[in-house]
Amino acid sequence: MTRFRTADAAALTADVAALLAALRARPGFRDGEFGRSADDPELWALVTRWDGVGAYRRALSAAEVKITGAPVWVHAVDEPGVYITD
């Protein structure tokens, strides 16, 4: 899970849609959700599910994901990420 902060909801939503499309093409991707905080309209969260941490790390190092993700990651909240296992 990664949280983002932005005042430009439309741009972030479009950029995350492109990022999720790139992630869907990567082996091990299960699904992903993107949504806005109920009590803070500038706070968003992206949750992705993977077959394992290895698949997640390999996906993030793919060139297409790096390029597509760049406009998204600039809005990431500077805090530790979360990885939860089933």
Side-chain angles (χ1 to χ4, degrees):
M1 180 173 88
T2 305
R3 296 189 320 157
F4 304 92
R5 184 166 295 282
T6 185
D8 190 351
L12 182 60
T13 300
D15 290 341
V16 169
L19 174 59
L20 281 170
L23 292 173
R24 281 186 194 98
R26 305 307 307 166
F29 181 82
R30 291 185 186 174
D31 67 3
E33 298 176 53
F34 180 65
R36 182 184 292 199
S37 170
D39 58 352
D40 185 344
E42 293 186 357
L43 187 62
W44 296 77
L46 173 63
V47 177
T48 57
R49 292 173 190 81
W50 298 85
D51 287 340
V53 68
Y56 170 73
R57 289 180 178 162
R58 284 187 295 277
L60 290 185
S61 60
E64 181 184 346
V65 172
K66 288 181 180 180
I67 293 166
T68 308
V72 175
W73 306 135
V74 297
H75 299 286
V77 176
D78 186 15
E79 63 186 8
V82 175
Y83 184 84
I84 301 169
T85 60
D86 298 332

